Amino acid sequence: MTVHASFRHDSALKHVTGQAIYIDDMPEPPGTLHAALVLSPIPSGRLRRIDLAKAAAAAGVVTTITAADIPGHNNIAGAGREEPLFAHDRVEFIGQAVAMVVAGTLDQARAAAELAVLDIEPGEAILDIETALARQAWVQAPSMILRGDPDAAMKSAPHRLSAALSVGGQEHFYLEGQIAFVLPGEDGDLVVHSSTQHPTEVQHVCAELLGCDFNRVTIVVRRLGGGFGGKESNASAIAGAAALAAAKTGRPVKLRLPRETDMIATGKRHGFQYRYTVGFDGEGRVLALDAVLAADAGWSLDMTPGVIARALTHVDNAYWLPHVRAVGYACRTNLQSNTAFRGFGGPQGVVVMEDALDRIARHLGRDPWDVRALNFYRDGQDETPYGQKVEENHLARCWAEVKQGGTLERRRAEIDAFNRTSPILKRGLGVFPLKFGISFNLPHLNQAGALVHVYTDGSIRLNHGGTEMGQGLFIKVAQVVAEVFKVGIDRIRPSATSTAEVPNTSPTAASTGSDLNGWAAWEAANTIKQRMIAFAAEHFASAPDDIAFADGTVRIAKPGSNQVLSFGEMAKLCYQGRVSLSSTGFYKTPKVHWDGAAMRGRPFFYFSFGAAAAEVVIDTLTGENRVLRADLVQDCGASLNPAIDLGQIEGAFVQGQGWLTCEELWWDKQGRLRTVGPSTYKIPGSRDAPPVFNVKLLDNAPSREATIFRSKAVGEPPLLLATAVWTALKYAIEAVGDHKTAVRLDAPATPERVLAAVATLRN
């Protein structure tokens, strides 16, 4: 079969040889202009005047653009919301775009932008979650998931604990920064090459800014140099600004952000603060949870509603909570508007119960692993707090496999023995079980389209609404089409995503890329195949059931004859018979529904499961820490491409490890982000990946739901497996106190935070 096989990424050789073409590699037509943004230098204030006279007079400058020059609606937030492309009366964070300079070269544009003079009357800024909570400053009303009677259950619980903790945000740090290249055409048409995960949103935003119909703007995306959610909504502003300049000048315009500007101007993963109380019995069984999750939304709404909803729907993670109240606050601050990031609130949601269960175990003197398993979803206790059943539950199996494959019991005994004799270095072994929901929180986004052409030589062109950002989506969907026609993968040519070929696309996000676009491509390919079968049956006077596609051929079996044609010969014969060899395909995810006000429904088509163990070592004198080993088991159903999925799991885990250990965003007291490049913002390097890194796909676990070839999503769930690193660090720290006391360890667990946690046990 072509599916379930480990084909290499379709651009693998081009990636490693430098031949892959990204937007900044595209040849620039004569007359191409370059743009640079003018950014706000303060976090809050009234914008009284923008003086661009010196900028406009600078060498090479062709034009300048402010909010007053926008012919349409100054809005990049999408329908029903407001977020200006260029500030016009107020500035809301340091790095907000106020104007743009367009010049003949990139250096000229950036130099001229520095000459802009902004007259801003400073206002009071909110720069942290605590202040926003105190002032009840929200970007949306608080949300709540409620089941049972948590107050009564808490009051009657034999034991209760309360705690607080926080996790930081995370910079996407995609290799290719935010960029757009816009080519004007006839009658006001624009072709926009955008590094975006959501071509349709970019199309809509450009059209809204220009005040034109969507059909005049075509978005083209061949590949992204990484996205991770940072190019789901943020890319629209970059493309919109470039489109305005191209429309105004009638010349091609490229806008690309340098790394520092990119980090200052664009949103991050939401940082969260938590307060919770948990009630439990003497065995460690959770009876009630009352939790507050406060997210730093930044200054505008952006993707925060979905992030809050997913965080709340993942507070339970792998555990049955009979009585629960979880309230999510979307705190408005004068910082970058935070946005989608791989996991989309799920990683921030699961840490609540992981922290609670560790504290329960320490309080009772019980094994934290046993306490976790005691609280797993199981038969009779299989409904989430928001009303969805946990079906096809692989929790116990993933848990058992990671414990056995990682020889965890033996290693924990060895680690405990090491810690008893090592006064400075302490080792820790942490575990984490996972249940992660797959689908968009907004039901209408769970749809996709595709377009398939079969040519008369048997070659096939494939187009769909998903974007390729290095995750292997194109090769997976190509495998689906090859499987339908039973031809080699070399016969399929994926083409650049384009709103001119597949309209009204959903973003490539929420781990749904293969699920949605794979099915849409299957529908398109199968429509053509059925036409070919019907024609062949009539042409050869055979029954449709006697027409078989296999190994690049079409076999026509009938009494006294067994004719075999190549797939190309059959395609040519169909063309001569006036059979259409082109078709669209469409798919919408079944069963999903969600009431955002009541916070109940079935937001997910299915759940993905997994388990992880991580071993760490810390230096109790410096707080320095290292991940020594990781053992992962991930449920991918019947994987479409095991090699691609293994790569996704490894990359996601290390990215999650970075979020929880070393990737610290730091703002000064004036609201200026100071970690604005690789010298000050530390993403994991090759030496930070676990030296022993064992990854296993859960065997013989095809999805029971009608997913594409019974596969399951893989993009986001493995990032959450890195939570095992955080629990391992706590285990190592607690060894200082002989595991008698639970510690608070905020993330990222930098050496400073690890050292501070160690100090609490020594004082």
Side-chain angles (χ1 to χ4, degrees), residues 358-428:
D358 279 337
R359 290 182 177 277
I360 289 169
R362 295 289 172 248
H363 181 81
L364 297 175
R366 294 180 62 84
D367 184 336
W369 300 358
D370 291 344
V371 171
R372 280 176 168 79
L374 178 68
N375 285 282
F376 280 171
Y377 279 107
R378 52 179 47 88
D379 290 344
Q381 296 177 337
D382 59 355
E383 185 176 301
T384 66
Y386 46 91
Q388 179 168 350
K389 289 279 189 179
V390 180
E391 299 171 327
E392 196 183 349
N393 187 346
H394 293 315
L395 279 168
R397 187 178 164 199
C398 292
W399 184 252
E401 288 197 15
V402 84
K403 288 181 69 177
Q404 180 179 359
T407 60
L408 299 193
E409 296 294 351
R410 174 184 62 76
R411 288 168 53 208
R412 182 165 62 171
E414 293 172 351
I415 287 169
D416 289 342
F418 172 88
N419 288 338
R420 284 192 292 270
T421 60
S422 177
I424 296 175
L425 298 181
K426 298 292 184 181
R427 288 159 61 191

Side-chain angles (χ1 to χ4, degrees), residues 420-440:
R420 284 192 292 270
T421 60
S422 177
I424 296 175
L425 298 181
K426 298 292 184 181
R427 288 159 61 191
L429 187 60
V431 294
F432 175 72
L434 171 68
K435 171 184 67 65
F436 188 86
I438 302 297
S439 287
F440 285 102

Side-chain angles (χ1 to χ4, degrees), residues 127-213:
L127 300 176
D128 55 68
I129 292 175
E130 296 94 332
T131 304
L133 284 171
R135 299 184 184 180
Q136 297 187 358
W138 330 122
V139 297
Q140 67 169 15
S143 304
M144 180 173 67
I145 284 181
L146 177 66
R147 174 162 67 186
D149 189 343
D151 293 327
M154 196 75 71
K155 185 176 181 181
S156 63
H159 303 273
R160 290 183 295 277
L161 286 172
S162 296
L165 70 148
S166 67
V167 297
Q170 187 177 19
E171 165 63 33
H172 302 87
F173 222 99
Y174 23 66
L175 289 178
E176 179 193 34
Q178 298 281 359
I179 185 170
F181 190 16
V182 183
L183 306 174
E186 295 180 348
D187 302 322
D189 288 354
L190 296 175
V191 174
V192 180
H193 295 275
S194 172
S195 186
T196 178
Q197 296 172 238
H198 198 349
T200 289
E201 180 176 295
V202 172
Q203 179 191 42
H204 292 180
V205 166
C206 289
E208 185 168 4
L209 291 167
L210 293 168
C212 70
D213 292 338

Side-chain angles (χ1 to χ4, degrees), residues 219-236:
I219 313 302
V220 180
V221 185
R222 174 55 187 92
R223 59 173 62 85
L224 288 67
F228 312 117
K231 295 176 180 176
E232 186 173 347
S233 63
N234 283 185
S236 300

Side-chain angles (χ1 to χ4, degrees), residues 43 93-94 127 334-336 667-673:
F93 70 97
I94 293 176
L127 300 176
N334 291 103
L335 300 174
Q336 293 89 340
W667 287 264
D668 64 20
K669 293 181 180 180
Q670 287 72 46
R672 290 175 292 187
L673 181 65

Side-chain angles (χ1 to χ4, degrees), residues 670-722:
Q670 287 72 46
R672 290 175 292 187
L673 181 65
R674 293 301 198 178
T675 47
V676 292
S679 63
T680 51
Y681 184 81
K682 298 298 185 180
I683 64 172
S686 59
R687 296 181 181 180
D688 296 304
V692 180
F693 201 173
N694 301 316
V695 180
K696 181 179 183 294
L697 303 186
L698 189 66
D699 292 327
N700 301 315
S703 174
R704 294 178 193 169
E705 294 291 355
T707 57
I708 186 68
F709 288 105
R710 304 295 172 175
S711 63
K712 282 189 176 182
V714 71
E716 292 172 300
L719 185 141
L720 283 74
L721 295 181

Side-chain angles (χ1 to χ4, degrees), residues 11-32:
S11 295
L13 291 178
K14 290 188 282 290
H15 286 157
V16 300
T17 59
Q19 297 179 72
I21 296 174
Y22 294 88
I23 292 175
D24 212 23
D25 301 315
M26 296 173 59
E28 297 176 0
T32 294

